[in-house]
Amino acid sequence: MTSGRVNPQFTLEDQQITGLGNVHYNLIEPALIEIALRRQEGTLGKGGTFLVTTGKFTGRSPKDKHVVKSDSVADTIWWDNNAAMSPEGFDALYDDMIAHMQGGEYFVQDLVGGADPRHAINVRMVTEMAWHGLFIRHMLRRPERAELDDFIADYTVINCPSFKADPKKHNCRSDTVIAMNFDRKMILIGGTEYAGENKKSVFTLLNYLLPEKGIMPMHCSANHAHNNPVDTAVFFGLSGTGKTTLSADPARTLIGDDEHGWSDNGTFNFEGGCYAKTINLSEEAEPEIFATTKKFGTVIENMVFDPETKELDFDDSSLTANMRCAYPLEYISNASAKAVGGHPKNIIMLTCDAFGVLPPIARLTPAQAMYHFLSGFTSKVAGTERGVTEPEPTFSTCFGAPFMPRRPEVYGNLLREKIAQHGATCWLVNTGWTGGAYGTGSRMPIKATRALLTAALEGDLADVQYRKDPNFGFDVPVAVEGVPDILLDPRRTWDKPESYDRQAVKLVGMFSDNFAQYLPFIDDDVKAAAIS
């Protein structure tokens, strides 16, 4: 039995996915919320939001991601970073998952990954949970009504949280599994209700496919000057560095907050929505994002709320610090309707340095940009994970190692070529600590970070005086209007400069140790940047 807004010509049965019960195709938001409420998947919140918890998993399971090791991809996957699954294991996994799904109610969303139709892929998302259908309608791009009639998927994703994998039979690590098969053009997800696996599986897919076309896939947010897409900026960064916050600048047009491609035509968003962290979110600091938490259809994930009033508690992280909201891009008033921009004029690499060593902004040469891109540095702080008692470095290559199927130098070389071709200016921006490490120093003032970014994007830093950083060799402005000079020289912000020097030596050593893995694959000028 099928139902939905569109009964497509190409159904699951045409894909030999048979025996399911009631299958709903391309339901829109009100219908999905009605069904999700009927199935008691969550709670209706203020403004028509949908409040959910995701059980055991409140974040991604990167160690449970697998790529099928077939002859077609054996030589192109970065196997040190991607767990292999045998074709036989995947076939057994698929058969057992479909058998588990027999007679059940499922939700199909036919969607698109990529705002540039020349490089977009059609994705059919099959979900066991109605609210996952709502989530992915926000996160991917929705075709026009007429386009759904003859929609044919390039790839199919099946997400069945109630299914538990068998590691021995299915050649995986645990009963949670995310398995990608490029030959069968299919991704299977089981054993986790965390919705982020849906969107990141598509991102991983694009990260593999697009480099073959000379397109740079990027874990970044992006914006451009109002009425001037040529003035585009991209913001690389791991979770917690300010990627979403800093790109949502009311003075600029938002292209997207997380995943983009850089083609010969410019920058384009992969997604149709945003997935913003909500811990400590405030109306004063981030009014646009805050407003989405009361808008119809926004998915509120793993947030504590009052059972009677449905008021959200943005400071209560008892469920997880990774609480989030998912909403369509058009909920941000200054978002681009087309979600495309020009070639990046400025590239910002965001880091949260809890060691208090890095300056709030630094200008990078192309070789230094590749060094910091491959390093992908940020830091965990005490209290974020059990056993973490002092800052710990996190090096996630390309600012997104869990989503990178190919070797890091593939992405690094693509980025470097595009920087050289289009003349982008590169910056390293530290949103972490100053005046000491985490626990003794203070968080970099957001007002100063915004002022420095504005100066960089508007070209005001082109002719200012710079000093050479003695630890990393990049250029740091000596003075910027609206920013205290002392903030630009982190050593001066410490009570004991000798303590800063020891911390700097420690951090440089961590960078060096991590980067040793790339030395056999990079050019001499990047090696020089690594030891400058």
Side-chain angles (χ1 to χ4, degrees):
M1 177 181 175
T2 63
S3 69
R5 186 167 63 109
V6 177
N7 190 7
Q9 296 178 17
F10 190 66
T11 65
L12 291 179
E13 286 76 10
D14 295 315
Q15 297 177 257
Q16 282 71 58
I17 302 175
T18 59
L20 307 188
N22 192 9
V23 178
H24 306 274
Y25 287 88
N26 298 305
L27 296 180
I28 61 174
E29 290 78 1
L32 288 167
I33 291 174
E34 284 180 348
I35 294 175
L37 288 170
R38 169 175 61 79
R39 289 159 51 108
Q40 297 183 327
E41 293 180 359
T43 302
L44 192 67
K46 298 189 73 169
T49 59
F50 195 70
L51 313 177
V52 297
T53 56
T54 60
K56 177 182 176 182
F57 294 97
T58 57
R60 292 178 293 100
S61 302
K63 293 182 180 179
D64 292 310
K65 290 183 66 174
H66 298 265
V67 177
V68 175
K69 194 171 186 178
S70 63
D71 291 343
S72 65
V73 301
D75 296 331
T76 52
I77 298 292
W78 181 23
W79 295 113
D80 290 342
N81 187 60
N82 293 270
M85 174 180 283
S86 67
E88 296 77 15
F90 184 90
D91 291 345
L93 175 67
Y94 174 81
D95 290 343
D96 289 348
M97 184 176 285
I98 296 302
H100 173 84
M101 294 167 64
Q102 294 297 289
E105 185 177 31
Y106 290 89
F107 304 87
V108 174
Q109 290 290 325
D110 291 328
L111 301 162
V112 175
D116 186 337
R118 290 164 291 196
H119 309 301
I121 62 170
N122 288 348
V123 178
R124 168 161 283 181
M125 188 73 61
V126 184
T127 63
E128 181 181 27
M129 307 189 78
W131 80 266
H132 276 194
L134 175 66
F135 172 89
I136 204 63
R137 272 185 66 80
H138 294 335
M139 297 316 304
L140 292 184
R141 303 189 64 79
R142 300 177 294 279
E144 295 296 330
R145 166 64 178 78
E147 296 173 319
L148 289 170
D149 291 330
D150 54 1
F151 183 96
I152 296 178
D154 297 309
Y155 282 80
T156 299
V157 181
I158 302 177
N159 189 333
C160 187
S162 66
F163 176 80
K164 305 297 183 184
D166 181 335
K168 290 184 178 180
K169 185 177 182 181
H170 302 138
N171 191 215
C172 54
R173 190 187 75 96
S174 74
D175 60 9
T176 298
V177 65
I178 303 97
M180 182 172 294
N181 190 324
F182 288 100
D183 289 352
R184 294 187 61 169
K185 298 184 182 302
M186 184 169 287
I187 301 169
L188 303 178
I189 304 172
T192 173
E193 295 182 26
Y194 181 66
E197 299 289 8
N198 294 299
K199 89 182 209 88
K200 288 305 185 186
S201 67
V202 178
F203 184 39
T204 304
L205 176 61
L206 288 166
N207 283 342
Y208 183 79
L209 298 174
L210 293 182
E212 291 182 344
K213 302 172 68 174
I215 298 169
M216 175 66 192
M218 303 178 291
H219 186 212
C220 71
S221 56
N223 63 26
H224 66 71
H226 286 325
N227 302 315
N228 185 14
V230 173
D231 185 2
T232 292
V234 299
F235 302 75
F236 288 101
L238 297 165
S239 179
T241 58
K243 193 159 71 314
T244 298
T245 298
L246 294 172
S247 60
D249 183 344
R252 294 173 66 86
T253 298
L254 178 68
I255 301 172
D257 85 323
D258 197 39
E259 302 167 4
H260 295 79
W262 184 357
S263 73
D264 290 340
N265 306 108
T267 308
F268 63 98
N269 192 356
F270 290 165
E271 300 184 300
C274 301
Y275 191 32
K277 294 189 77 168
T278 54
I279 187 167
N280 304 133
L281 183 68
S282 74
E283 186 172 16
E284 180 181 3
E286 300 177 72
E288 291 266 16
I289 298 173
F290 187 89
T292 69
T293 64
K294 296 182 180 180
K295 291 190 176 182
F296 180 79
T298 293
V299 175
I300 308 292
E301 192 178 62
N302 293 319
M303 286 192 69
V304 174
F305 60 89
D306 186 291
E308 292 185 6
T309 67
K310 304 302 186 289
E311 286 289 344
L312 302 172
D313 190 333
F314 293 90
D315 300 317
D316 188 338
S317 59
S318 58
L319 291 176
T320 177
N322 190 38
M323 52 198 195
R324 291 177 180 266
C325 62
Y327 50 88
L329 198 61
E330 59 262 27
Y331 279 6
I332 301 297
S333 62
N334 63 323
S336 166
K338 295 182 178 179
V340 297
H343 297 289
K345 184 178 178 181
N346 287 279
I347 295 173
I348 295 97
M349 298 183 185
L350 298 169
T351 183
C352 176
D353 173 24
F355 297 87
V357 171
L358 295 174
I361 194 168
R363 186 176 61 187
L364 307 175
T365 66
Q368 289 169 340
M370 186 171 179
Y371 173 71
H372 284 278
F373 179 71
L374 290 175
S375 296
F377 168 72
T378 192
S379 45
K380 298 175 184 177
V381 296
T384 58
E385 290 185 7
R386 186 179 301 169
V388 178
T389 57
E390 63 178 26
E392 290 185 0
T394 298
F395 293 95
S396 185
T397 189
C398 309
F399 294 99
F403 327 120
M404 302 298 165
R406 297 179 182 269
R407 282 203 54 83
E409 59 269 19
V410 172
Y411 306 105
N413 287 329
L414 259 175
L415 180 65
R416 189 176 181 189
E417 290 166 8
K418 291 191 176 295
I419 289 172
Q421 182 179 358
H422 300 288
T425 302
C426 301
W427 308 90
L428 183 70
V429 171
N430 173 26
T431 62
W433 270 256
T434 184
Y438 173 82
T440 58
S442 58
R443 194 73 189 259
M444 197 71 68
I446 185 65
K447 183 177 180 182
T449 300
R450 290 190 184 279
L452 291 167
L453 274 175
T454 298
L457 298 183
E458 293 183 356
D460 295 339
L461 300 186
D463 299 317
V464 301
Q465 181 183 354
Y466 286 84
R467 65 176 179 85
K468 187 74 68 177
D469 182 85
N471 301 305
F472 289 92
F474 40 52
D475 291 334
V476 181
V478 174
V480 177
E481 186 176 352
V483 179
D485 292 354
I486 190 174
L487 203 63
L488 295 165
D489 187 352
R491 188 175 188 268
R492 292 173 55 200
T493 66
W494 284 54
D495 291 337
K496 297 180 179 180
E498 62 274 14
S499 297
Y500 171 88
D501 294 338
R502 287 193 297 270
Q503 190 82 317
V505 169
K506 180 180 178 181
L507 184 60
V508 169
M510 292 174 181
F511 265 86
S512 180
D513 291 345
N514 171 73
F515 203 77
Q517 62 185 304
Y518 306 120
L519 293 178
F521 308 104
I522 59 174
D523 295 337
D524 289 342
D525 58 343
V526 181
K527 290 180 182 178
I531 61 175
S532 60

